[in-house]
Amino acid sequence: MDFRFDIIVEYFPFFMEGMGLTILMSVVGVLMGCILGFFIALGKMSPILIVRLPFIWYINFLRGTPLLVQLFLFHYAVLPTLLGSTTPVISVMVTLSLNSSAYVAEIFRAGLQSIDKGQAEAAHSLGMNKFQVMRHVLLPQAFKRSIPPLGNEFIVLLKDSSLGAMIAAQELLYWGRAASGQYLRVWEPYLMVALVYLVLTLSLTYLLNYLERRFDVK
Amino acid sequence: MISVKHLKKSFGDLEVLKDINVDIGQKEVVVVIGPSGSGKSTFLRCLNLIESITNGTVSIDGVELTDKKVDINKLRAEVGMVFQQFNLFPHKTVLENITLPIVTVKKESKQDAEKKAKDLLQKVGLLDKADAYPESLSGGQKQRVAIARALGMEPKVMLFDEPTSALDPEMVGEVLGVMKQLAEEGMTMVVVTHEMGFAKEVGDCVIFMDEGYVVEEKEPKQLFENPQHERTKAFLSKIL
């Protein structure tokens, strides 16, 4: 079997461009997912059922339906209806943000609920209000415990951004499919795409390991 | 100082406190004893509203706790509490554990808070641990930090919920020593404990609780040497 490096060389700039977009969409997804996820976690922990219910179903829907279906739904139906028009990149970023927010919310909730009840009691007994207890006592501890599962979620999200190729967002896999289509070759483009994803996820793993050590204040 | 009238507390169908009436004067040290499940801890936790009050009234320094207009956080800042499990903040240093509530609740400057914290650490004999994390301390040291943290708020009353029950025996003395010193300085204290030696030596009054009631309330010497009720006698015969 011959291996045509020339295809990889020719498409290298596009792969790099696609990688840039993959990183951009993932970073936006992670950041928005964390911000939204935090508030959704708080909402889902409300003692009032009526407040809790919409958050429960938000999470149920986003965790219980395939990401690809969500992407099609947002790209072809929801966003055009809400915004009038959308682009593939915007659709991917919105879908990734919302999808990851559901998972991140559960990670934050688990982190917060794993903190011993005595911590909040002690803080309250010192006269701290709910906000201060959350800000100074519960969140820093919960965040530290959330780092390993959050890292997992980020890696999943980075890989899931490849679904963007299905709606022609010009990310990494998109260019792999383009190369494959042009030369009717399957090994070179898809191996190359896989390799780039692997480099990205491994880099992320190292970064997360570093963060875990950093925050592990002993 | 503290006046408890017809205090009742239920968790669902379970009535834990059935009718508690207690008056505690300024600078008084009240020791609460009783078998487990008698409601001693719940009683203590009602005094700073860590547990809500089902029925009855509690007033501290003239402030009615069940009054809806009461600022709960302000009240709690004036009632210090020390827990069996210490509940120090593990992500903060010893010094930060003490300064955090002073800065966030009392709104004092960081410098003032640190100075106050260091004075308190000196007092409990742990100034050299200021920059350590709670994890590296022994149980007795943790509890002394917890006491210093509560004192940082300059409370009018200190509540102790079995402060030595989670400690190795050789560390009990150092914590009781700090509490004794506090009592001698005139702090009003309510102490739930199984340390009968402490009750005898430091207590002005001992309350024996059983099944949600105050069974007997007397000076320590009288209660230990001449208990009136059968249940008090039975309890004391088991532990003395």
Side-chain angles (χ1 to χ4, degrees):
Chain A
M1 189 189 85
D2 60 331
F3 193 88
R4 286 188 54 190
F5 277 105
D6 61 302
I7 297 177
I8 292 174
V9 172
E10 187 196 330
Y11 265 88
F12 193 75
F14 297 111
F15 286 145
M16 289 300 104
E17 210 176 285
M19 184 181 82
L21 190 57
T22 291
I23 293 173
L24 174 73
M25 293 193 305
S26 304
V27 168
V28 170
V30 163
L31 290 179
M32 292 304 295
C34 280
I35 296 167
L36 287 172
F38 172 65
F39 291 105
I40 293 157
L42 292 186
K44 201 186 166 180
M45 287 191 298
S46 164
I48 306 157
L49 181 67
I50 294 294
V51 176
R52 210 161 57 224
L53 218 51
F55 293 99
I56 290 174
W57 279 99
Y58 177 91
I59 293 171
N60 280 351
F61 177 78
L62 286 164
R63 288 204 310 177
T65 56
L67 182 54
L68 187 56
V69 174
Q70 292 168 18
L71 187 61
F72 286 167
L73 200 57
F74 276 99
H75 185 59
Y76 296 119
V78 177
L79 291 178
T81 306
L82 286 180
L83 307 174
S85 70
T86 180
T87 69
V89 174
I90 289 178
S91 296
V92 173
M93 291 199 289
V94 168
T95 310
L96 284 181
S97 299
L98 296 181
N99 184 269
S100 72
S101 75
Y103 287 93
V104 169
E106 290 295 80
I107 291 171
F108 280 153
R109 187 176 64 87
L112 281 169
Q113 289 180 341
S114 74
I115 307 296
D116 182 60
K117 249 177 56 198
Q119 290 288 308
E121 282 179 3
H124 278 304
S125 81
L126 291 159
M128 293 167 81
N129 62 34
K130 274 185 179 176
F131 174 79
Q132 291 165 334
V133 174
M134 191 52 103
R135 158 86 181 72
H136 297 289
V137 177
L138 299 182
L139 275 186
Q141 295 186 58
F143 179 70
K144 202 177 111 182
R145 287 186 198 182
S146 300
I147 292 176
L150 274 181
N152 250 337
E153 172 57 23
F154 295 167
I155 288 170
V156 170
L157 182 108
L158 183 101
K159 293 186 295 177
D160 281 353
S161 70
S162 62
L163 288 174
M166 295 294 112
I167 57 167
Q170 300 185 348
E171 45 69 73
L172 193 48
L173 181 60
Y174 172 91
W175 289 109
R177 280 160 59 90
S180 174
Q182 183 181 346
Y183 290 98
L184 299 176
R185 304 280 296 188
V186 286
W187 283 95
E188 296 86 352
Y190 292 132
L191 269 182
M192 182 62 191
V193 166
L195 188 69
V196 177
Y197 275 116
L198 189 61
V199 168
L200 289 180
T201 52
L202 287 182
S203 312
L204 190 53
T205 307
Y206 282 116
L207 178 71
L208 290 162
N209 284 343
Y210 169 76
L211 281 180
E212 255 177 71
R213 280 196 309 272
R214 255 308 294 282
F215 279 98
D216 199 17
V217 193
K218 286 276 160 82
Chain B
M1 186 75 190
I2 303 178
S3 173
V4 180
K5 290 195 174 69
H6 304 297
L7 171 62
K8 290 184 178 130
K9 169 70 188 175
S10 304
F11 295 103
D13 289 338
L14 182 70
E15 197 171 35
V16 180
L17 299 179
K18 285 167 184 156
D19 186 26
I20 306 284
N21 295 282
V22 174
D23 277 293
I24 296 167
Q26 190 134 23
K27 299 190 177 184
E28 209 177 339
V29 177
V30 174
V31 177
V32 184
I33 62 171
S36 59
S38 59
K40 337 182 267 297
S41 285
T42 306
F43 166 62
L44 202 68
R45 290 158 64 89
C46 283
L47 296 184
N48 67 352
L49 293 180
I50 291 282
E51 297 293 354
S52 60
I53 292 168
T54 309
N55 223 319
T57 59
V58 176
S59 72
I60 294 180
D61 207 21
V63 180
E64 196 74 56
L65 267 60
T66 42
D67 187 342
K68 288 206 165 50
K69 278 173 274 176
V70 167
D71 180 349
I72 294 181
N73 295 319
K74 187 166 174 287
L75 174 113
R76 283 175 177 155
E78 291 171 351
V79 181
M81 186 157 199
V82 174
F83 300 83
Q84 183 178 356
Q85 297 298 336
F86 327 124
N87 294 341
L88 293 178
F89 306 134
H91 60 300
K92 303 265 180 203
T93 64
V94 164
L95 193 74
E96 288 165 347
N97 261 276
I98 304 173
T99 56
L100 176 67
I102 302 178
V103 173
T104 55
V105 180
K106 295 188 82 153
K107 310 286 180 203
E108 289 183 21
S109 74
K110 200 166 168 244
Q111 288 84 349
D112 290 352
E114 280 179 3
K115 192 184 169 299
K116 199 184 273 181
K118 282 179 180 162
D119 289 346
L120 286 165
L121 283 174
Q122 177 91 53
K123 182 174 171 167
V124 298
L126 289 170
L127 190 53
D128 57 323
K129 298 286 184 190
D131 296 319
Y133 281 90
E135 188 187 56
S136 67
L137 304 183
S138 73
Q141 290 171 332
K142 281 182 195 167
Q143 197 58 297
R144 285 188 280 156
V145 173
I147 293 172
R149 180 175 70 178
L151 290 176
M153 300 305 291
E154 294 166 341
K156 296 174 183 165
V157 183
M158 282 286 280
L159 310 176
F160 294 84
D161 189 5
E162 303 202 23
T164 58
S165 297
L167 298 179
D168 288 340
E170 74 265 30
M171 291 169 186
V172 170
E174 61 190 72
V175 172
L176 292 181
V178 171
M179 290 167 62
K180 191 178 164 202
Q181 187 193 345
L182 211 53
E184 281 162 1
E185 288 168 11
M187 177 63 78
T188 308
M189 292 162 62
V190 185
V191 186
V192 171
T193 187
H194 298 294
E195 294 294 329
M196 297 304 147
F198 177 84
K200 274 183 205 162
E201 192 185 351
V202 183
D204 297 307
C205 167
V206 175
I207 292 176
F208 173 69
M209 281 182 70
D210 192 25
E211 290 177 1
Y213 292 101
V214 171
V215 177
E216 217 165 331
E217 181 183 352
K218 283 208 178 77
E219 277 177 32
K221 200 167 183 301
Q222 283 185 321
L223 187 100
F224 288 122
E225 286 169 13
N226 191 18
Q228 294 301 305
H229 291 260
E230 286 308 316
R231 276 185 292 179
T232 320
K233 283 178 195 164
F235 177 73
L236 290 175
S237 71
K238 274 180 220 153
I239 57 158
L240 287 181

